[in-house]
Amino acid sequence: MADKKSNYSANNIQALEGLEAVRKRPGMYIGSTDSKGLHHLVWEVVDNSIDEHLAGHASHIDMIIHEDNSITVVDNGRGIPTGMHDKLQKSALEVVMTVLHAGGKFDKDTYKVSGGLHGVGVSCVNALSSYLRAEVHREGEIFEQEYSQGKPQGDVKVIGKTDKRGTTITFKPDGEIFDSLVYNFDTLAARMRELSYLNKGLNLKLTDEREKEDDGSFKATSFYSEGGLKEFVTFVDESRTPLISTPIHVVGKEENVEVEVAMQYNTSFSENIYSFVNNINTREGGTHVSGFRRAVNRVFSKYAEDNGLFSKLKFKVSGEDFREGLTSVVSVKVPEPQFKGQTKGELGNQEVTGIVSRAVGEVLAAYLEENPKDARRIVDKVILAATARHAARKAREMVQRKNVLTGSGLPGKLSDCSSKDPGESEIFLVEGDSAGGTAKQGRDRGFQAILPLRGKILNVEKALEHKIYENEEIKNLFTALGVSIEDKDGERILNIEKLRYHKIVIMCDADVDGSHIVTLILTFFFRYMKPLIEQGFVYIAAPPLYMVRKGNTKVYAWNDEERQDIINNMGGPETSGIKTQRYKGLGEMNADQLWETTMNPEERILRQVTIEDVNESDRIFSMLMGDEVPPRRRFIETNAKYANIDI
Ligand code: 0RA
């Protein structure tokens, strides 16, 4: 990579705010001080390295997780400037590291990740680290400065000569700030994989010094993508069956906005859009996604009309139908992005809609003309989607009308609670009638309802939609919960205004079968009642695995460690004085025990189901519940305990 003579001068950096503010209110700057915030620190540093890549100056980024959970990020960019800052009479390096927002705008022509969503700068990371060391290779010399909680521990020192360029940042997150200090390899690796697809030609490497491989080397993984977004789409669709031979690829540029899109149709029923602005995942979409959808609707509608392909249909084809089974990655680079929405995960720049729509429309129209066979296959799929949606709507209306006719419509199997206040009411979805019976005896009927479900509920991932609404267990679920699906402008909307319980608790055996059933139920919620998960109404009960008994004393344990501790505390080892009972299922507990351990709000453990990453969850559900066996086996092998599905 050519080392362009940089036009940067140390004086371009403006001093803004002190770092005390960051330590006082870390949440304001990095979102939270939990594990999410902890990982955010890494991305703040990496974003700067990515900016160097976007500006054409860096080809390699290495990340190391050290044994003590400190992190090193190495890049071969230009290196943080080290010259004297006139106004502040300090090295620019010190200014970048200790002054909030100092790392900001230098050359406006380049797209900056760090000007986007994250953008609080590497000085924030410094403020929130008990220790940080910056090493810069620049203009033949190696510079170094160390800090503690953002405060320099000495001046910038020259510690040697070098023929390399780049920046190395090592930091240890401050235990006074963060609740959790342990980095997750998979979380870091997943984002680095994503970054490699988004930045083709960039080499990324992750090393974990906490873990050794069999040959004694540290656990490590590297990412590099030649094909960029096309490979991204192929990767996320690995467990789906493609409809066309290679993904459709769009590259365009207008008014300084760069557009890149890759899209692939598959035989599944869901739409998956991954969208990015300056490499940042925009989970709530925005103007770039609107532009993409607009182009897909427009181009396919016109193509189908022009060729008379919709002429026999007795109903309208909706936007949703055009996107069923469509996986796409929409990535734009915008010089000055505006982010909106609750989590600032939505692009607001209006001009981007038209730019993306034009770029995608042009390529897509040409593609359909040039590939008539693929075009036909896609249109057939769209017609199928429209037909299925029509049938599903009819089935749904039948079920919902029947409920109106039969009065309250509550299922006979439901043992409802007396309270009518959803805010205090809970419903337990229990596997099987026998466990259902125990739960019914054990519950507090004032606010706890029980709905037994037949063993394995329908795998909605494989069933046709109208079959789903005709399924007895699923009908019961809809009516018991008081929610319904309605059509609005051809899109399905879940109406939860009449939701009857604000805690929906899935209660299954703590074994492989039980977790399979939990997964089936979660798949259903994820596909058809996602807002209930998003709003935090869905939980998983955690029944104990063991009861340790000594005389009349009974203590429950939720894992092997706890069990051993209890045995030790009772003066262990296990004898006929001290005995462990392994609960294989809920059915082995009597009503009192079930109440005491799993249902009583004072004692129980409930795990709230959250969606951290919609797309990743989608991928995992299709894999776990779909047809392809090898990816599922791989997933289960790597996540096995029994697989704890962490969505
Ligand atoms: C300020 C200005 C320039 C680069 C950087 C900061 C920079 C920061 C980080 C953080 C990690 N790696 C980094 N690489 C560069 C522009 C420098 C120039 O124009 O020479």
Side-chain angles (χ1 to χ4, degrees):
M1 197 166 293
D3 194 349
K4 280 195 242 160
K5 187 77 201 139
S6 79
N7 50 10
Y8 168 84
S9 93
N11 299 318
N12 289 28
I13 297 171
Q14 290 179 1
L16 288 171
E17 287 175 56
L19 292 187
E20 313 80 56
V22 182
R23 289 186 61 83
K24 242 184 231 149
R25 297 175 154 210
M28 289 254 302
Y29 298 86
I30 53 158
S32 60
T33 53
D34 56 10
S35 169
K36 206 167 179 178
L38 184 79
H39 287 77
H40 194 125
L41 296 185
V42 176
W43 307 129
E44 278 305 332
V45 177
V46 170
D47 280 354
N48 288 281
S49 304
I50 295 274
D51 282 344
E52 286 296 288
H53 171 74
L54 288 176
H57 301 288
S59 59
H60 285 72
I61 301 175
D62 277 10
M63 189 189 296
I64 300 141
I65 312 170
H66 299 290
E67 214 172 336
D68 64 349
N69 276 287
S70 61
I71 297 278
T72 293
V73 178
V74 187
D75 68 53
N76 64 345
R78 285 168 291 186
I80 300 177
T82 48
M84 194 55 107
H85 189 281
D86 283 352
K87 245 192 249 151
L88 296 179
Q89 281 301 302
K90 282 178 188 166
S91 161
L93 172 60
E94 181 168 332
V95 177
V96 167
M97 297 309 301
T98 59
V99 180
L100 209 54
H101 303 301
K105 321 248 172 198
F106 299 96
D107 27 310
K108 259 198 165 184
D109 301 336
T110 55
Y111 310 108
K112 277 198 163 44
V113 181
S114 46
L117 186 63
H118 300 161
V120 289
V122 68
S123 59
C124 254
V125 178
N126 196 9
L128 301 177
S129 296
S130 55
Y131 170 79
L132 187 144
R133 175 175 180 274
E135 179 178 309
V136 173
H137 291 234
R138 205 179 149 99
E139 289 155 15
E141 290 186 299
I142 306 174
F143 301 84
E144 177 205 68
Q145 191 170 35
E146 291 175 297
Y147 316 82
S148 176
Q149 301 186 332
K151 291 187 283 290
Q153 303 299 294
D155 287 336
V156 174
K157 284 197 283 275
V158 175
I159 58 166
K161 298 227 171 293
T162 181
D163 54 4
K164 298 201 189 80
R165 292 177 307 121
T167 305
T168 300
I169 306 268
T170 298
F171 65 95
K172 178 148 177 57
D174 194 340
E176 290 176 23
I177 304 279
F178 293 93
D179 318 329
S180 151
L181 293 170
V182 181
Y183 276 101
N184 182 311
F185 182 88
D186 293 334
T187 304
L188 297 176
R191 170 69 175 153
M192 286 174 88
R193 174 184 297 111
E194 188 172 277
L195 284 170
S196 76
Y197 290 128
L198 289 164
N199 300 283
K200 57 181 162 218
L202 175 63
N203 293 275
L204 293 142
K205 183 172 178 197
L206 174 63
T207 305
D208 190 344
E209 295 183 345
R210 301 168 304 182
E211 267 190 68
K212 279 202 175 140
E213 301 290 358
D214 292 340
D215 68 359
S217 63
F218 291 124
K219 178 175 175 181
T221 179
S222 300
F223 303 100
Y224 174 85
S225 173
E226 192 80 50
L229 298 193
K230 274 178 104 161
E231 287 176 14
F232 196 167
V233 165
T234 307
F235 168 75
V236 298
D237 264 3
E238 84 176 333
S239 55
R240 301 187 181 103
T241 314
L243 210 62
I244 54 178
S245 52
T246 52
I248 303 169
H249 191 210
V250 180
V251 182
K253 185 171 180 173
E254 191 182 316
E255 288 175 41
N256 258 329
V257 176
E258 280 181 26
V259 181
E260 189 181 351
V261 174
M263 54 193 278
Q264 169 66 287
Y265 277 93
N266 59 64
T267 57
S268 84
F269 305 120
S270 54
E271 173 193 13
N272 281 292
I273 297 191
Y274 295 70
S275 67
F276 299 88
V277 175
N278 300 358
N279 286 327
I280 297 163
N281 193 193
T282 34
R283 294 191 197 286
E284 295 163 68
T287 50
H288 52 329
V289 173
S290 307
F292 169 72
R293 288 186 166 148
R294 193 184 283 183
V296 170
N297 282 1
R298 184 182 70 241
V299 173
F300 276 111
S301 298
K302 183 165 186 313
Y303 181 83
E305 291 301 331
D306 288 354
N307 294 281
L309 302 174
F310 287 166
S311 56
K312 288 204 199 80
L313 292 187
K314 294 192 190 68
F315 39 82
K316 253 190 85 159
V317 177
S318 80
E320 236 184 309
D321 302 326
F322 286 116
R323 301 190 307 270
E324 194 180 283
L326 173 61
T327 298
S328 47
V329 184
V330 177
S331 167
V332 293
K333 303 261 165 65
V334 182
E336 282 177 79
Q338 287 140 30
F339 293 99
K340 334 185 287 186
Q342 254 181 7
T343 57
K344 296 273 176 239
E346 182 184 347
L347 182 67
N349 302 49
Q350 286 304 328
E351 73 281 7
V352 175
T353 304
I355 295 176
V356 175
S357 176
R358 277 188 291 277
V360 174
E362 217 169 278
V363 173
L364 199 54
Y367 179 87
L368 296 181
E369 291 306 330
E370 286 160 23
N371 300 276
K373 276 205 192 115
D374 283 348
R376 209 29 220 261
R377 216 173 289 152
I378 297 170
V379 171
D380 283 348
K381 159 112 182 141
V382 171
I383 293 174
L384 204 67
T387 314
R389 192 173 53 83
H390 190 69
R393 181 183 180 155
K394 277 189 154 168
R396 221 162 48 221
E397 283 171 357
M398 284 281 279
V399 174
Q400 283 167 6
R401 193 165 325 129
K402 218 159 150 204
N403 282 337
V404 177
L405 293 178
T406 54
S408 86
L410 287 179
K413 279 187 160 191
L414 173 72
S415 306
D416 206 3
C417 55
S418 346
S419 171
K420 294 289 167 248
D421 173 5
E424 64 171 24
S425 301
E426 307 179 344
I427 185 170
F428 285 79
L429 311 179
V430 189
E431 134 193 24
D433 289 329
S434 97
T438 317
K440 193 175 159 186
Q441 285 170 30
R443 69 173 172 157
D444 180 332
R445 63 182 305 142
F447 66 98
Q448 291 180 320
I450 309 293
L451 181 68
L453 296 172
R454 187 161 35 98
K456 304 239 153 138
I457 76 156
L458 186 71
N459 179 354
V460 300
E461 204 66 24
K462 284 188 179 169
L464 285 173
E465 194 178 340
H466 72 273
K467 290 279 182 209
I468 290 164
Y469 301 118
E470 287 158 4
N471 178 279
E472 209 53 42
E473 310 298 313
I474 287 176
K475 275 197 284 192
N476 285 346
L477 254 178
F478 271 102
T479 41
L481 296 179
V483 301
S484 58
I485 294 183
E486 291 162 13
D487 282 65
K488 211 174 157 201
D489 307 320
E491 316 263 329
R492 306 166 184 78
I493 308 279
L494 186 77
N495 183 343
I496 62 168
E497 276 167 32
K498 299 205 179 99
L499 177 66
R500 305 176 64 246
Y501 316 92
H502 281 188
K503 281 209 173 70
I504 302 163
V505 186
I506 305 169
M507 186 160 72
C508 294
D509 291 345
D511 64 4
V512 176
D513 264 357
S515 28
H516 186 209
I517 294 167
V518 171
T519 315
L520 285 166
I521 298 175
L522 284 180
T523 308
F524 168 73
F525 277 111
F526 184 75
R527 293 287 179 222
Y528 290 90
M529 296 189 176
K530 199 179 282 153
L532 295 183
I533 304 183
E534 287 167 343
Q535 297 188 32
F537 296 136
V538 182
Y539 297 83
I540 300 172
L545 290 184
Y546 303 102
M547 178 174 68
V548 188
R549 190 198 287 268
K550 183 184 180 185
N552 285 334
T553 319
K554 293 180 234 162
V555 185
Y556 300 96
W558 272 259
N559 56 49
D560 288 301
E561 255 175 34
E562 271 180 18
R563 171 180 163 232
Q564 199 51 55
D565 285 348
I566 294 165
I567 293 174
N568 293 346
N569 285 341
M570 286 177 168
E574 217 178 328
T575 54
S576 54
I578 304 165
K579 254 195 151 18
T580 314
Q581 182 188 350
R582 163 89 167 98
Y583 289 121
K584 288 193 213 73
L586 299 171
E588 293 181 15
M589 274 186 262
N590 63 35
D592 287 342
Q593 290 169 329
L594 191 60
W595 163 258
E596 265 171 48
T597 59
T598 315
M599 298 178 75
N600 178 2
E602 307 283 316
E603 302 290 335
R604 71 187 176 192
I605 299 169
L606 286 188
R607 288 183 291 163
Q608 191 173 39
V609 179
T610 57
I611 303 174
E612 228 162 71
D613 182 330
V614 177
N615 291 321
E616 182 62 6
S617 308
D618 180 284
R619 201 175 66 80
I620 289 173
F621 277 122
S622 344
M623 176 177 70
L624 288 177
M625 296 293 150
D627 291 322
E628 294 275 326
V629 177
R632 172 164 52 237
R633 175 165 312 144
R634 237 180 296 143
F635 179 87
I636 291 173
E637 274 166 12
T638 39
N639 292 276
K641 253 210 198 125
Y642 53 92
N644 179 7
I645 292 112
D646 197 6
I647 69 158

PDB file of all heavy atoms in Angstrom, residues 6 8 45 48-49 52 75 78-81 96 103 106 138 167 169, ligand 1:
ATOM      1  N   SER A   6       0.836  12.421   4.180  1.00  0.00           N
ATOM      2  CA  SER A   6      -0.396  12.861   4.827  1.00  0.00           C
ATOM      3  C   SER A   6      -0.406  14.378   4.966  1.00  0.00           C
ATOM      4  O   SER A   6       0.617  15.016   5.167  1.00  0.00           O
ATOM      5  CB  SER A   6      -0.529  12.205   6.188  1.00  0.00           C
ATOM      6  OG  SER A   6       0.272  12.873   7.097  1.00  0.00           O
ATOM      7  N   TYR A   8      -2.065  15.946   7.156  1.00  0.00           N
ATOM      8  CA  TYR A   8      -2.575  16.212   8.474  1.00  0.00           C
ATOM      9  C   TYR A   8      -1.578  17.035   9.284  1.00  0.00           C
ATOM     10  O   TYR A   8      -0.386  16.830   9.226  1.00  0.00           O
ATOM     11  CB  TYR A   8      -2.811  14.873   9.169  1.00  0.00           C
ATOM     12  CG  TYR A   8      -3.066  15.018  10.617  1.00  0.00           C
ATOM     13  CD1 TYR A   8      -4.354  15.301  11.075  1.00  0.00           C
ATOM     14  CD2 TYR A   8      -2.033  14.896  11.523  1.00  0.00           C
ATOM     15  CE1 TYR A   8      -4.579  15.454  12.411  1.00  0.00           C
ATOM     16  CE2 TYR A   8      -2.262  15.052  12.861  1.00  0.00           C
ATOM     17  CZ  TYR A   8      -3.534  15.327  13.300  1.00  0.00           C
ATOM     18  OH  TYR A   8      -3.767  15.478  14.608  1.00  0.00           O
ATOM     19  N   VAL A  45     -12.034   1.186  19.351  1.00  0.00           N
ATOM     20  CA  VAL A  45     -10.648   1.172  18.890  1.00  0.00           C
ATOM     21  C   VAL A  45     -10.582   0.669  17.446  1.00  0.00           C
ATOM     22  O   VAL A  45      -9.947   1.278  16.582  1.00  0.00           O
ATOM     23  CB  VAL A  45      -9.772   0.291  19.807  1.00  0.00           C
ATOM     24  CG1 VAL A  45      -8.343   0.236  19.278  1.00  0.00           C
ATOM     25  CG2 VAL A  45      -9.792   0.827  21.227  1.00  0.00           C
ATOM     26  N   ASN A  48     -11.434   2.994  14.501  1.00  0.00           N
ATOM     27  CA  ASN A  48     -10.369   3.901  14.049  1.00  0.00           C
ATOM     28  C   ASN A  48      -9.447   3.216  13.051  1.00  0.00           C
ATOM     29  O   ASN A  48      -8.997   3.820  12.084  1.00  0.00           O
ATOM     30  CB  ASN A  48      -9.539   4.386  15.239  1.00  0.00           C
ATOM     31  CG  ASN A  48     -10.314   5.370  16.094  1.00  0.00           C
ATOM     32  OD1 ASN A  48     -10.420   6.535  15.757  1.00  0.00           O
ATOM     33  ND2 ASN A  48     -10.898   4.892  17.187  1.00  0.00           N
ATOM     34  N   SER A  49      -9.180   1.935  13.319  1.00  0.00           N
ATOM     35  CA  SER A  49      -8.324   1.186  12.403  1.00  0.00           C
ATOM     36  C   SER A  49      -9.046   0.980  11.076  1.00  0.00           C
ATOM     37  O   SER A  49      -8.434   1.045  10.011  1.00  0.00           O
ATOM     38  CB  SER A  49      -7.956  -0.169  13.017  1.00  0.00           C
ATOM     39  OG  SER A  49      -7.346   0.019  14.273  1.00  0.00           O
ATOM     40  N   GLU A  52      -8.823   3.897   8.923  1.00  0.00           N
ATOM     41  CA  GLU A  52      -7.546   3.929   8.212  1.00  0.00           C
ATOM     42  C   GLU A  52      -7.614   3.067   6.957  1.00  0.00           C
ATOM     43  O   GLU A  52      -7.062   3.411   5.926  1.00  0.00           O
ATOM     44  CB  GLU A  52      -6.416   3.446   9.124  1.00  0.00           C
ATOM     45  CG  GLU A  52      -6.004   4.449  10.197  1.00  0.00           C
ATOM     46  CD  GLU A  52      -5.427   5.720   9.579  1.00  0.00           C
ATOM     47  OE1 GLU A  52      -4.296   5.679   9.059  1.00  0.00           O
ATOM     48  OE2 GLU A  52      -6.127   6.737   9.614  1.00  0.00           O
ATOM     49  N   ASP A  75      -2.934  -2.144  14.092  1.00  0.00           N
ATOM     50  CA  ASP A  75      -3.200  -1.927  12.668  1.00  0.00           C
ATOM     51  C   ASP A  75      -1.948  -1.405  11.991  1.00  0.00           C
ATOM     52  O   ASP A  75      -1.004  -0.962  12.646  1.00  0.00           O
ATOM     53  CB  ASP A  75      -4.386  -0.963  12.460  1.00  0.00           C
ATOM     54  CG  ASP A  75      -4.091   0.466  12.889  1.00  0.00           C
ATOM     55  OD1 ASP A  75      -3.077   1.033  12.438  1.00  0.00           O
ATOM     56  OD2 ASP A  75      -4.893   1.033  13.665  1.00  0.00           O
ATOM     57  N   ARG A  78      -1.704   4.747   9.271  1.00  0.00           N
ATOM     58  CA  ARG A  78      -0.704   5.823   9.275  1.00  0.00           C
ATOM     59  C   ARG A  78      -0.085   6.050  10.647  1.00  0.00           C
ATOM     60  O   ARG A  78       0.955   6.685  10.782  1.00  0.00           O
ATOM     61  CB  ARG A  78      -1.351   7.137   8.823  1.00  0.00           C
ATOM     62  CG  ARG A  78      -1.616   7.202   7.349  1.00  0.00           C
ATOM     63  CD  ARG A  78      -2.495   8.378   7.004  1.00  0.00           C
ATOM     64  NE  ARG A  78      -3.851   8.204   7.499  1.00  0.00           N
ATOM     65  CZ  ARG A  78      -4.863   9.039   7.242  1.00  0.00           C
ATOM     66  NH1 ARG A  78      -4.652  10.129   6.524  1.00  0.00           N
ATOM     67  NH2 ARG A  78      -6.058   8.808   7.717  1.00  0.00           N
ATOM     68  N   GLY A  79      -0.756   5.529  11.677  1.00  0.00           N
ATOM     69  CA  GLY A  79      -0.284   5.795  13.033  1.00  0.00           C
ATOM     70  C   GLY A  79      -0.889   7.089  13.538  1.00  0.00           C
ATOM     71  O   GLY A  79      -0.996   8.070  12.789  1.00  0.00           O
ATOM     72  N   ILE A  80      -1.274   7.118  14.790  1.00  0.00           N
ATOM     73  CA  ILE A  80      -1.821   8.352  15.355  1.00  0.00           C
ATOM     74  C   ILE A  80      -0.720   9.414  15.303  1.00  0.00           C
ATOM     75  O   ILE A  80       0.428   9.131  15.652  1.00  0.00           O
ATOM     76  CB  ILE A  80      -2.276   8.134  16.817  1.00  0.00           C
ATOM     77  CG1 ILE A  80      -3.361   7.050  16.863  1.00  0.00           C
ATOM     78  CG2 ILE A  80      -2.797   9.433  17.431  1.00  0.00           C
ATOM     79  CD1 ILE A  80      -3.834   6.689  18.256  1.00  0.00           C
ATOM     80  N   PRO A  81      -1.047  10.624  14.844  1.00  0.00           N
ATOM     81  CA  PRO A  81      -0.029  11.676  14.746  1.00  0.00           C
ATOM     82  C   PRO A  81       0.651  11.930  16.091  1.00  0.00           C
ATOM     83  O   PRO A  81       0.026  11.830  17.137  1.00  0.00           O
ATOM     84  CB  PRO A  81      -0.832  12.901  14.307  1.00  0.00           C
ATOM     85  CG  PRO A  81      -2.056  12.347  13.664  1.00  0.00           C
ATOM     86  CD  PRO A  81      -2.348  11.064  14.351  1.00  0.00           C
ATOM     87  N   VAL A  96      -5.198  13.099  21.211  1.00  0.00           N
ATOM     88  CA  VAL A  96      -6.155  12.106  20.704  1.00  0.00           C
ATOM     89  C   VAL A  96      -6.592  11.164  21.827  1.00  0.00           C
ATOM     90  O   VAL A  96      -7.749  10.796  21.940  1.00  0.00           O
ATOM     91  CB  VAL A  96      -5.540  11.289  19.535  1.00  0.00           C
ATOM     92  CG1 VAL A  96      -6.379  10.058  19.209  1.00  0.00           C
ATOM     93  CG2 VAL A  96      -5.390  12.155  18.295  1.00  0.00           C
ATOM     94  N   GLY A 103     -10.340  12.880  18.123  1.00  0.00           N
ATOM     95  CA  GLY A 103      -9.934  12.062  16.986  1.00  0.00           C
ATOM     96  C   GLY A 103     -10.674  12.384  15.703  1.00  0.00           C
ATOM     97  O   GLY A 103     -10.350  11.855  14.656  1.00  0.00           O
ATOM     98  N   PHE A 106     -10.883  14.966   9.949  1.00  0.00           N
ATOM     99  CA  PHE A 106      -9.653  15.491   9.391  1.00  0.00           C
ATOM    100  C   PHE A 106      -9.848  15.771   7.918  1.00  0.00           C
ATOM    101  O   PHE A 106      -9.883  16.890   7.489  1.00  0.00           O
ATOM    102  CB  PHE A 106      -8.499  14.526   9.625  1.00  0.00           C
ATOM    103  CG  PHE A 106      -8.267  14.312  11.068  1.00  0.00           C
ATOM    104  CD1 PHE A 106      -8.812  13.220  11.722  1.00  0.00           C
ATOM    105  CD2 PHE A 106      -7.555  15.240  11.808  1.00  0.00           C
ATOM    106  CE1 PHE A 106      -8.621  13.048  13.072  1.00  0.00           C
ATOM    107  CE2 PHE A 106      -7.373  15.075  13.160  1.00  0.00           C
ATOM    108  CZ  PHE A 106      -7.906  13.976  13.797  1.00  0.00           C
ATOM    109  N   ARG A 138       5.686   5.523  13.307  1.00  0.00           N
ATOM    110  CA  ARG A 138       5.429   6.622  12.373  1.00  0.00           C
ATOM    111  C   ARG A 138       6.729   7.336  12.064  1.00  0.00           C
ATOM    112  O   ARG A 138       7.537   7.571  12.969  1.00  0.00           O
ATOM    113  CB  ARG A 138       4.439   7.587  13.051  1.00  0.00           C
ATOM    114  CG  ARG A 138       3.607   8.426  12.094  1.00  0.00           C
ATOM    115  CD  ARG A 138       2.645   9.317  12.882  1.00  0.00           C
ATOM    116  NE  ARG A 138       2.408  10.537  12.141  1.00  0.00           N
ATOM    117  CZ  ARG A 138       1.352  10.761  11.383  1.00  0.00           C
ATOM    118  NH1 ARG A 138       0.398   9.871  11.291  1.00  0.00           N
ATOM    119  NH2 ARG A 138       1.234  11.883  10.732  1.00  0.00           N
ATOM    120  N   THR A 167      -0.547   1.627  14.450  1.00  0.00           N
ATOM    121  CA  THR A 167      -0.913   1.922  15.829  1.00  0.00           C
ATOM    122  C   THR A 167      -1.205   0.621  16.558  1.00  0.00           C
ATOM    123  O   THR A 167      -1.847  -0.270  16.005  1.00  0.00           O
ATOM    124  CB  THR A 167      -2.188   2.798  15.857  1.00  0.00           C
ATOM    125  OG1 THR A 167      -1.971   3.961  15.053  1.00  0.00           O
ATOM    126  CG2 THR A 167      -2.536   3.222  17.272  1.00  0.00           C
ATOM    127  N   ILE A 169      -2.831  -0.473  20.243  1.00  0.00           N
ATOM    128  CA  ILE A 169      -3.462  -0.023  21.483  1.00  0.00           C
ATOM    129  C   ILE A 169      -3.724  -1.241  22.356  1.00  0.00           C
ATOM    130  O   ILE A 169      -4.337  -2.209  21.905  1.00  0.00           O
ATOM    131  CB  ILE A 169      -4.830   0.660  21.203  1.00  0.00           C
ATOM    132  CG1 ILE A 169      -4.697   1.786  20.184  1.00  0.00           C
ATOM    133  CG2 ILE A 169      -5.491   1.111  22.505  1.00  0.00           C
ATOM    134  CD1 ILE A 169      -4.458   3.149  20.729  1.00  0.00           C
TER     135      ILE A 169
HETATM  136  C1  0RA B   1      -5.930  10.964  14.159  1.00  0.00           C
HETATM  137  C2  0RA B   1      -5.550  11.359  12.887  1.00  0.00           C
HETATM  138  C3  0RA B   1      -5.159  10.419  11.959  1.00  0.00           C
HETATM  139  C4  0RA B   1      -5.188   9.058  12.282  1.00  0.00           C
HETATM  140  C5  0RA B   1      -5.587   8.669  13.549  1.00  0.00           C
HETATM  141  C6  0RA B   1      -5.971   9.609  14.494  1.00  0.00           C
HETATM  142  C7  0RA B   1      -5.564   7.222  13.876  1.00  0.00           C
HETATM  143  C8  0RA B   1      -6.172   6.754  15.052  1.00  0.00           C
HETATM  144  C9  0RA B   1      -6.123   5.401  15.341  1.00  0.00           C
HETATM  145  C10 0RA B   1      -6.569   4.606  16.372  1.00  0.00           C
HETATM  146  C11 0RA B   1      -6.200   3.299  16.096  1.00  0.00           C
HETATM  147  N1  0RA B   1      -5.540   3.263  14.931  1.00  0.00           N
HETATM  148  C12 0RA B   1      -5.462   4.534  14.438  1.00  0.00           C
HETATM  149  N2  0RA B   1      -4.912   4.971  13.311  1.00  0.00           N
HETATM  150  C13 0RA B   1      -4.945   6.302  13.039  1.00  0.00           C
HETATM  151  C14 0RA B   1      -4.739  10.842  10.597  1.00  0.00           C
HETATM  152  C15 0RA B   1      -3.249  10.690  10.508  1.00  0.00           C
HETATM  153  C16 0RA B   1      -2.592  11.313   9.294  1.00  0.00           C
HETATM  154  O1  0RA B   1      -3.214  12.077   8.553  1.00  0.00           O
HETATM  155  O2  0RA B   1      -1.419  11.000   9.102  1.00  0.00           O
END
